[in-house]
């Protein structure tokens, strides 16, 4: 019977594979290898058309993978900023009280004292660590090198609260705080400016004229949320800063760490109640301190980044829909072109299910090829973007798997109607089709 069809345009190999597939589906047993071979032969007959058809799927999958990778990199950078703020950070800042209609600036009031920090630690159960804080600019000198920086007077708990990690040496002890020892810990920028490649441990620097022994150096942290260099700092006991550098008895800030992220807001509210009671503020009076929540800004940026990523994925998915419509159009054209062939298949015993499965297989094969190419281009594009922007691009295995599954779904969804249309053709009319 195969020789009877040899006069149809000389395309014996395609029709031969199609008929073999039909014969292999008798008895409801489907030979998927034969189906794949027949679909491949049909698609390779029009190579250029097939390539242009899968292009939409390829672009869509590649765009989705790139957007997800870049979005995750952006979120990682924001989360890094969030972590650098501190361990469930609660920041209590002096100042903010309105006197005769004039609102004072930050660090102007003198009511925030060490006793307040002790009271917060003892009375607020949601606070696990507390450190006083004083900070000011200062000129630091070592040998013939000098550098304008800023210093902080804190307690040892500060390093845990702010997630500062030691690079060399060891931080000062509570005993150093009690005796206002002339010791300090320096950041990476100060170390590079004063010492270069020289080991700074044990060396004595002069901070605003005060000799301080370097007992440790800090691991780099980079820029803060406001763009300041966090490594350009010197940290020393708060008692040393109070008595020997600033000559004051009050504090600029009280830095706290809540027991959990969810407890940050409530801990701030409870600390407010403690301070208002200690400062004897009447209900109608405003606070003479400020509760800062820098994590809210970071969290807002993180939420905005996630929303933008979702929006970009939705835009990139439009390419998948366009590609799916392209597959549907090509398959409809293919059904029209192969109407007589479909009639022959039915005549030799092919069922509606076999015809439908054949054309659906061609649609899925198109989408799979486009999906595979899209994954490769997406991974390559993500890598190039990461190298260009110097971002730590993280490839998402989940995004690749979802993209592959989505490409199959596109082939099934957009290929179903043409396959259904092919399977419902009247065999007599199909054989008469010119």
């Amino acid at each position: 019977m195969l020789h009877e069809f040899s006069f149809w345009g000389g395309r014996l190999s395609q029709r031969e594979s199609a008929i073999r597939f039909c014969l292999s589906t008798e008895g409801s047993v489907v030979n998927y290898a034969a189906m794949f071979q027949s679909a491949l032969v049909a698609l390779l007959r029009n190579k250029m058309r097939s390539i242009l058809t899968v292009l939409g799927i390829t672009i869509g999958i590649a765009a989705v993978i790139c957007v997800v990778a870049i979005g995750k990199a952006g979120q990682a950078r924001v989360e890094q900023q969030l972590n650098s703020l501190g361990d469930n950070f609660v920041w209590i800042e002096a100042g903010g009280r309105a006197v005769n209609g004039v609102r004072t600036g930050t660090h102007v009031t003198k009511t925030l004292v060490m006793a307040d920090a002790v009271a917060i630690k003892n009375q607020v159960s949601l606070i696990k660590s507390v450190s006083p804080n004083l900070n000011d600019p200062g000129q630091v000198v070592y040998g013939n090198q000098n550098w304008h920086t800023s210093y902080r007077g804190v307690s040892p708990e500060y390093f845990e609260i702010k997630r500062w990690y030691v690079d060399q040496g060891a931080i000062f002890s509570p005993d150093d705080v009690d005796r206002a020892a002339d010791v300090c810990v320096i950041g990476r920028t100060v170390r590079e400016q004063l010492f270069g490649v020289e080991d700074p441990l044990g060396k004595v620097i002069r901070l605003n004229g005060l000799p301080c022994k370097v007992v440790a150096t800090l691991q780099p942290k980079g820029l803060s949320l406001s763009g300041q260099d966090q490594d350009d700092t010197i940290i020393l006991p708060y008692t040393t800063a109070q008595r020997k550098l600033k000559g004051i008895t009050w504090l600029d800030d009280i830095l706290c760490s809540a027991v959990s992220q969810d407890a940050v807001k409530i801990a701030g509210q409870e600390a407010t109640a403690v301070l208002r009671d200690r400062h004897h503020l009447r209900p109608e009076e405003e606070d003479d301190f400020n509760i800062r929540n820098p994590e809210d800004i970071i969290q807002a940026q993180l939420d905005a980044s996630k929303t933008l990523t979702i929006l970009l994925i939705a835009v990139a998915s439009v390419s998948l829909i366009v590609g799916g419509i392209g597959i549907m159009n090509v398959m409809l054209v293919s059904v029209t072109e192969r109407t007589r062939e479909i009639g022959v298949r039915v005549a030799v015993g092919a069922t509606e299910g076999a015809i439908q499965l054949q054309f659906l297989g061609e649609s899925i094969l198109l989408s799979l090829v486009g999906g595979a190419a899209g994954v490769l281009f997406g991974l390559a594009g993500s890598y190039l973007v990461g190298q260009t922007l110097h971002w730590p691009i993280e490839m998402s295995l989940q995004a690749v798997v979802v993209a592959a599954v989505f490409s199959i779904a596109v082939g099934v969804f957009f290929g179903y109607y043409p396959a259904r249309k092919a399977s419902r053709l009247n065999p007599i009319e199909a054989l008469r089709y010119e």
Side-chain angles (χ1 to χ4, degrees), residues 135-288:
N135 55 275
D136 246 353
Q139 194 74 19
V140 59
V141 179
Y142 174 73
N144 61 351
Q145 302 294 324
N146 70 91
W147 182 248
H148 185 75
T149 184
S150 61
Y151 67 85
R152 287 185 178 275
V154 299
S155 67
E157 289 80 6
Y158 171 83
F159 298 93
E160 177 185 354
I161 294 171
K162 291 290 289 180
R163 291 189 174 127
W164 271 110
Y165 302 107
V166 172
D167 186 27
Q168 289 180 293
I171 63 173
F172 48 83
S173 64
D175 182 60
D176 293 327
V177 175
D178 293 339
R179 59 189 180 88
D182 298 336
V183 294
C184 67
V185 179
I186 62 175
R188 177 63 60 87
T189 301
V190 175
R191 173 181 178 173
E192 292 175 349
Q193 294 296 330
L194 295 184
F195 297 97
V197 297
E198 183 181 352
D199 185 2
L201 293 185
K203 304 297 192 303
V204 176
I205 61 176
R206 301 185 68 87
L207 175 60
N208 288 352
L210 176 69
C212 289
K213 180 181 178 181
V214 178
V215 295
T217 61
L218 297 171
Q219 293 181 6
K221 258 197 172 187
L223 298 179
S224 67
L225 179 63
S226 59
Q228 295 179 337
D229 184 3
Q230 297 182 89
D231 302 316
D232 189 7
T233 187
I234 297 177
I235 302 175
L236 62 159
Y238 76 92
T239 49
T240 306
Q242 273 185 327
R243 302 171 193 175
K244 300 180 179 180
L245 289 175
K246 301 190 71 171
I248 59 175
T249 58
W250 59 89
L251 303 175
D252 291 331
D253 311 274
I254 297 176
L255 309 179
C256 310
S257 178
V259 294
S260 68
Q261 179 64 42
D262 296 334
V264 169
K265 290 291 182 65
I266 301 176
Q269 295 170 1
E270 293 185 4
T272 297
V274 171
L275 291 178
R276 286 187 63 86
D277 180 65
R278 286 186 51 80
H279 295 180
H280 308 293
L281 298 176
R282 295 188 297 273
E284 67 274 10
E285 290 184 305
E286 295 188 26
D287 298 338
D288 56 357

Side-chain angles (χ1 to χ4, degrees), residues 91-96 105-114 116-117 131-137 151-154 238 241-242 246 248-255 275 288-292:
W91 177 13
I92 304 170
E93 181 184 55
T106 59
H107 299 168
V108 173
T109 59
K110 304 177 182 179
T111 54
L112 207 60
V113 295
M114 185 59 194
D116 292 330
S131 172
N133 180 78
L134 302 97
N135 55 275
D136 246 353
Y151 67 85
R152 287 185 178 275
V154 299
Y238 76 92
Q242 273 185 327
K246 301 190 71 171
I248 59 175
T249 58
W250 59 89
L251 303 175
D252 291 331
D253 311 274
I254 297 176
L255 309 179
L275 291 178
D288 56 357
F289 55 88
N290 302 305
I291 303 293
R292 300 289 189 184

Side-chain angles (χ1 to χ4, degrees), residues 276-341:
R276 286 187 63 86
D277 180 65
R278 286 186 51 80
H279 295 180
H280 308 293
L281 298 176
R282 295 188 297 273
E284 67 274 10
E285 290 184 305
E286 295 188 26
D287 298 338
D288 56 357
F289 55 88
N290 302 305
I291 303 293
R292 300 289 189 184
N293 293 296
E295 290 189 3
D296 290 345
I297 302 175
I298 296 290
Q299 193 62 48
Q301 289 184 347
L302 186 59
D303 293 341
S305 176
K306 291 179 179 178
T307 302
L308 181 60
T309 300
I310 293 173
L311 178 62
L312 292 175
I313 290 175
V315 172
S317 298
V318 173
S319 298
L320 291 174
I321 297 176
V322 173
I325 294 173
I327 289 177
M328 178 182 287
N329 290 336
V330 168
M331 294 308 300
L332 286 172
V333 171
S334 179
V335 170
T336 303
E337 291 177 344
R338 297 157 63 186
T339 300
R340 179 174 289 188
E341 178 186 319

Side-chain angles (χ1 to χ4, degrees), residues 79-138:
E79 289 173 353
Q80 184 180 9
Q81 289 183 330
L82 181 60
N83 290 331
S84 69
L85 285 177
D87 180 20
N88 303 322
F89 192 38
V90 180
W91 177 13
I92 304 170
E93 181 184 55
R97 186 175 183 181
V99 181
N100 297 326
V102 179
R103 192 171 185 86
T104 60
T106 59
H107 299 168
V108 173
T109 59
K110 304 177 182 179
T111 54
L112 207 60
V113 295
M114 185 59 194
D116 292 330
V118 175
I120 291 173
K121 179 65 170 65
N122 294 334
Q123 298 179 35
V124 181
S125 60
L126 296 178
I127 296 292
K128 62 180 180 180
S129 299
V130 174
S131 172
N133 180 78
L134 302 97
N135 55 275
D136 246 353

Side-chain angles (χ1 to χ4, degrees), residues 1-17 19 340-341 344 348:
M1 182 179 291
L2 295 179
H3 296 288
E4 297 177 8
F5 309 124
S6 61
F7 63 92
W8 285 347
R11 292 172 180 168
L12 178 61
S13 59
Q14 179 187 352
R15 300 185 186 282
E16 192 175 85
S17 62
I19 294 171
R340 179 174 289 188
E341 178 186 319
V344 173
V348 298

